[in-house]
């Protein structure tokens, strides 16, 4: 498989950045994941980190090098992540568990499928058109779908991971990717500031290494001092001219024993070290360096 990928998270006007994102891949499968810890509940960053770690651990264990059932994997990620968050809260005697949204996309056999819970979105863009995007599990999206004019708060979700109720989620059908297609996962800090037309326009006319920073900066500027945290990870499928792509952006997974990930996968029960921001950044940097060296060896060979 050949694709380009870029990820970025920027803190807005919030006290902390509770967004988490990352990606992983084997020779024959790719995983992209994003979670947005929810304010109004304790330790949203914990819930988000547990969610993306759950996805990464399950992917590493099950993609050998392909996932046997992508739909079952996506469903399982949501439910296992939810259970892990509840376990974390119960072990610490927390009256209110941490909560998070979750969006997960898998590319395999030239097709993409995704699952989402909450209002972190997945976009699929082709030939300057929005081919598909997730529908938020929010009362505003529900109101719009029903065509009513009732006033609702955009931020109020009717499902998430970590709540007492079993989470609701949607799993997409498989969609075959064409060369140049873009898939982006983003938090509400991005899409709430920018409409779909602006997002599609930027994604369509820039490489993902340029489009993601452009969209993040646009969202932060438009929202101003009240901006939410803004996070996105985007992939461009079978990029034309990929050998000339920006270093660290292009990925060719054609190695038998390939596995790489930008998601730290410490065990949840071993303590809170996995939440340390510096440790997360070091882990991502080390993995990216390994990816770069692997690509360099292939180019020389």
């Amino acid at each position: 498989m050949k694709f380009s990928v870029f990820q970025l998270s920027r803190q807005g006007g919030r006290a902390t950045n509770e967004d988490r994102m990352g990606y992983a891949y084997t020779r024959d499968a790719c995983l992209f994941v994003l979670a947005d810890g929810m304010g109004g509940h304790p330790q949203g960053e914990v819930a988000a980190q547990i969610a993306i770690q759950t996805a990464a651990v399950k992917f590493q264990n099950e993609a050998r090098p392909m996932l046997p059932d992508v739909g079952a994997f996506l469903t399982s990620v949501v439910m296992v992540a939810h259970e892990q968050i509840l376990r974390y809260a119960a072990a610490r005697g927390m009256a209110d568990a941490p909560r998070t949204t979750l969006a997960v996309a898998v590319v395999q056999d030239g097709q993409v499928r995704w699952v989402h819970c909450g209002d972190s979105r997945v976009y699929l863009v082709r030939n300057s058109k929005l081919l598909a995007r997730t529908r938020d599990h929010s009362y505003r999206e529900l109101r719009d779908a029903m065509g009513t004019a009732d006033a609702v708060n955009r931020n109020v979700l009717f499902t998430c991971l970590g709540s007492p109720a079993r989470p609701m989620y949607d799993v997409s059908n498989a969609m075959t990717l064409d060369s140049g297609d873009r898939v982006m996962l983003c938090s509400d800090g991005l899409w709430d500031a920018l409409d779909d037309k602006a997002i599609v326009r930027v994604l369509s006319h820039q490489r993902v290494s340029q489009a993601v920073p452009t969209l993040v900066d646009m969202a932060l500027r438009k929202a101003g001092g009240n901006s939410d945290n803004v996070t996105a990870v985007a992939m461009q499928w079978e990029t034309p001219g990929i050998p000339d792509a920006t270093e660290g952006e292009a990925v060719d997974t054609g190695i038998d024993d390939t596995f790489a990930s930008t998601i730290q996968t410490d065990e949840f029960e071993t303590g809170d070290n996995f939440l340390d921001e510096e440790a997360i950044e070091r882990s991502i940097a080390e993995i990216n360096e390994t990816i770069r060296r692997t690509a360099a060896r292939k180019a020389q060979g």
Side-chain angles (χ1 to χ4, degrees):
M1 295 185 297
K2 293 183 179 181
F3 61 94
S4 297
V5 62
F6 197 86
Q7 60 184 24
L8 181 64
S9 184
R10 294 268 303 277
Q11 187 170 332
R14 303 298 173 89
T16 59
N17 187 350
E18 296 181 325
D19 294 356
R20 295 292 186 269
M21 83 295 184
Y23 62 91
Y25 60 84
T26 66
R27 184 189 67 196
D28 295 325
C30 310
L31 171 79
F32 305 90
V33 58
L34 184 144
D36 181 356
M38 295 176 62
H41 302 277
Q43 301 182 31
E45 73 280 4
V46 174
Q49 186 67 29
I50 290 174
I52 69 167
Q53 285 186 212
T54 298
V57 170
K58 286 185 61 61
F59 182 76
Q60 184 173 7
N61 290 341
E62 298 177 23
R64 303 278 179 156
M66 300 178 69
L67 292 167
D69 187 329
V70 174
F73 170 82
L74 293 171
T75 297
S76 177
V77 165
V78 172
M79 297 311 302
V80 173
H82 174 68
E83 292 167 3
Q84 288 282 8
I85 293 168
L86 295 181
R87 285 180 58 197
Y88 176 93
R92 288 156 179 78
M94 300 173 67
D96 186 17
R99 304 186 189 189
T100 186
T101 68
L102 181 63
V104 183
V106 168
V107 175
Q108 181 171 290
D109 282 333
Q111 297 181 320
V112 62
R113 292 190 74 179
W114 56 74
V115 65
H116 81 291
C117 176
D119 63 356
S120 291
R121 290 183 178 178
V122 181
Y123 286 81
L124 174 58
V125 175
R126 174 180 297 165
N127 296 328
S128 300
K129 295 181 179 179
L130 179 60
L131 198 63
R133 83 153 169 88
T134 52
R135 297 296 169 183
D136 312 325
H137 296 125
S138 68
Y139 287 104
R140 186 176 76 171
E141 190 93 310
L142 186 61
R143 178 205 64 185
D144 294 345
M146 296 175 64
T148 65
D150 298 337
V152 294
N153 186 335
R154 175 195 71 76
N155 296 313
V156 178
L157 305 180
F158 56 79
T159 191
C160 64
L161 274 63
S163 67
R166 178 185 174 92
M168 299 172 61
Y169 55 88
D170 292 318
V171 179
S172 75
N173 294 323
M175 302 186 71
T176 300
L177 292 168
D178 286 350
S179 180
D181 282 357
R182 275 83 161 178
V183 177
M184 183 179 75
L185 286 63
C186 66
S187 64
D188 63 336
L190 192 148
W191 64 255
D192 187 48
L194 306 175
D195 61 26
D196 288 353
K197 289 183 179 179
I199 291 171
V200 171
R201 182 174 64 252
V202 174
L203 273 179
S204 300
H205 295 98
Q206 297 183 17
R207 299 187 66 84
V208 290
S209 60
Q210 300 169 319
V212 170
T214 296
L215 288 168
V216 169
D217 288 343
M218 286 172 60
L220 288 169
R221 285 198 305 269
K222 186 169 182 180
N226 295 322
S227 173
D228 196 351
N229 304 310
V230 183
T231 301
V233 53
M235 179 273 290
Q236 183 173 342
W237 182 243
E238 295 183 350
T239 311
I242 198 167
D244 299 323
T246 304
E247 184 176 320
E249 174 199 355
V251 175
D252 183 345
T253 66
I255 302 174
D256 289 343
D257 58 352
T258 293
F259 176 82
S261 174
T262 62
I263 304 168
Q264 191 180 26
T265 55
D266 293 345
E267 291 296 328
F268 310 138
E269 292 80 10
T270 60
D272 292 340
N273 290 335
F274 72 94
L275 297 175
D276 180 75
E277 293 281 355
E278 292 184 1
I280 293 170
E281 292 301 321
R282 284 197 302 271
S283 177
I284 291 174
E286 290 168 0
I287 295 167
N288 283 340
E289 177 63 15
T290 300
I291 295 170
R292 187 193 66 78
R293 289 177 180 175
T294 301
R297 284 198 300 270
K298 285 192 62 182
Q300 293 173 357

